Amino acid sequence: MEQALERLLPAPDIAPQRLHQAMRYAVLGGGKRVRALLVHAAGELCEADPEKVDTAAAAVEMIHAYSLVHDDLPCMDDDDLRRGKPSCHRQFDEATALLVGDSLQSLAFQVLAQPDLCADAASQLEMLHLLAVASGSRGMAGGQAIDLASVGVSLTQAELEFMHIRKTGALIRAAALLGARCADTVNRERVAALDRYAMHIGLAFQVVDDILDAQADTATLGKTAGKDAERNKPTYVTILGLERAKALAQDLHASALAELAPFGAEAQRLVELANFIIQRHF
Ligand code: GRG
């Protein structure tokens, strides 16, 4: 995965060097790669070609990295630390960070659109459409808009869920579906089960993120801990309390695993990923 990203990103000595160096800074050498692993695990369940899966996974990680760079900007979450390093606008400057996000988003679609990726143009278009919807105003960017509007506002659990299904969940769901779409033949039953699995782990990922933000320290997280409370943001911990938030994460984990039960050992990687999402400490 790291090699695929390294190869697909513009070299640091190609003009404009500063922008390319900043793009590489934002993507390489950090991150848990949960979404990339998910593309691969879903691809494995659907017997997809691993090289094609690598490209789809790189596209998803590029969208994710762009979202983190923009999220850290002063006009959004205003954070100085990301993946244990100065955030992109702190290491470079705000204008560069803005362009890094823009360029990573374009590059994600460029790599997914490369002419030799799929034998069948219709399935490639479907993959492009899937990623576009997941990252746009009805997916991740829309979730971010709701998140920004929620500062200092009290939300119900249903409203919080509506936001996180988009902000965090949409890209996680797209990762699973893209992995499945990399296969030459689409098994509709498997894709539907994967979709439900991804919706559960996407939400579980966010519940755990809220718990870690409230409980872990900055050094362990590699980003500023306690940001949600500091900005007066509604979270699963503020709405449910710590114990009920932990119970919700466990329920979502169990629902995700139930979707995989029919596939037995074939879904082992997806089971491991769900376990990691629940047990992670950073
Ligand atoms: C700016 C359009 C736009 C969207 C930003 C994803 C996002 C939307 C903001 C990130 C803010 C945040 C902390 C969300 C909580 C869940 C989340 C996406 C955490 C970061 O993902 P990880 O933990 O990061 O997978 P790594 O660094 O491991 O890749």
Side-chain angles (χ1 to χ4, degrees), residues 31-32 35 64 66-67 71 83 144 205-206 209 223:
K32 297 179 286 296
R35 293 151 194 82
H64 172 56
Y66 125 66
S67 80
D71 184 65
R83 296 175 170 173
Q144 178 79 346
F205 188 93
Q206 184 61 54
D209 215 72
K223 61 182 180 181

Side-chain angles (χ1 to χ4, degrees), residues 35-73:
R35 293 151 194 82
L37 289 167
L38 182 54
V39 182
H40 272 281
E44 199 176 281
L45 181 71
C46 298
E47 298 174 347
D49 165 22
E51 253 184 68
K52 194 165 154 187
V53 174
D54 244 356
T55 305
V60 172
E61 281 292 329
M62 285 173 192
I63 294 283
H64 172 56
Y66 125 66
S67 80
L68 299 182
V69 170
H70 279 191
D71 184 65
D72 288 337
L73 285 169

Side-chain angles (χ1 to χ4, degrees), residues 7-269:
R7 177 172 45 81
L8 292 165
L9 282 161
D13 55 347
I14 292 175
Q17 287 91 345
R18 188 175 165 80
L19 176 59
H20 290 155
Q21 285 158 11
M23 286 166 75
R24 297 175 73 86
Y25 179 84
V27 176
L28 300 173
K32 297 179 286 296
R33 306 293 188 220
V34 164
R35 293 151 194 82
L37 289 167
L38 182 54
V39 182
H40 272 281
E44 199 176 281
L45 181 71
C46 298
E47 298 174 347
D49 165 22
E51 253 184 68
K52 194 165 154 187
V53 174
D54 244 356
T55 305
V60 172
E61 281 292 329
M62 285 173 192
I63 294 283
H64 172 56
Y66 125 66
S67 80
L68 299 182
V69 170
H70 279 191
D71 184 65
D72 288 337
L73 285 169
C75 61
M76 296 219 183
D77 247 20
D78 192 8
D79 213 316
D80 291 347
L81 196 65
R82 174 67 65 183
R83 296 175 170 173
K85 301 185 295 189
S87 45
C88 191
H89 69 280
R90 298 295 292 174
Q91 182 71 13
F92 294 86
D93 55 79
E94 273 181 47
T96 302
L98 194 68
L99 292 172
V100 162
D102 296 340
S103 305
L104 286 175
Q105 177 163 209
S106 297
L107 186 58
F109 288 103
Q110 183 185 324
V111 303
L112 205 54
Q114 59 186 253
D116 56 353
L117 188 70
C118 297
D120 165 22
S123 79
Q124 193 166 359
L125 265 180
E126 227 175 277
M127 288 167 78
L128 286 159
H129 184 259
L130 218 153
L131 188 60
V133 173
S135 6
S137 65
R138 297 182 69 185
M140 184 181 73
Q144 178 79 346
I146 302 170
D147 181 273
L148 292 170
S150 304
V151 174
V153 174
S154 75
L155 297 184
T156 63
Q157 189 179 342
E159 287 166 337
L160 195 67
E161 188 173 301
F162 183 88
M163 168 172 82
H164 288 311
I165 283 174
R166 285 154 185 79
K167 185 180 123 178
T168 313
L171 195 59
I172 289 181
R173 192 173 160 214
L177 294 177
L178 281 173
R181 293 273 168 206
C182 284
D184 290 334
T185 48
V186 176
N187 178 328
R188 304 230 164 259
E189 199 186 310
R190 286 194 172 209
V191 173
L194 264 173
D195 194 11
R196 292 189 296 270
Y197 157 86
M199 276 198 272
H200 294 309
I201 62 158
L203 215 47
F205 188 93
Q206 184 61 54
V207 178
V208 171
D209 215 72
D210 286 356
I211 294 169
L212 289 175
D213 186 73
Q215 285 206 307
D217 57 65
T218 298
T220 311
L221 289 181
K223 61 182 180 181
T224 313
K227 273 294 270 200
D228 295 333
E230 184 196 307
R231 297 203 70 208
N232 199 12
K233 269 191 181 181
T235 72
Y236 281 100
V237 175
T238 59
I239 288 181
L240 298 177
L242 201 51
E243 290 317 310
R244 281 178 62 211
K246 285 182 180 174
L248 175 61
Q250 291 301 334
D251 286 351
L252 290 164
H253 175 250
S255 304
L257 294 193
E259 295 296 343
L260 301 177
F263 310 121
E266 279 183 279
Q268 188 53 28
R269 295 255 186 237

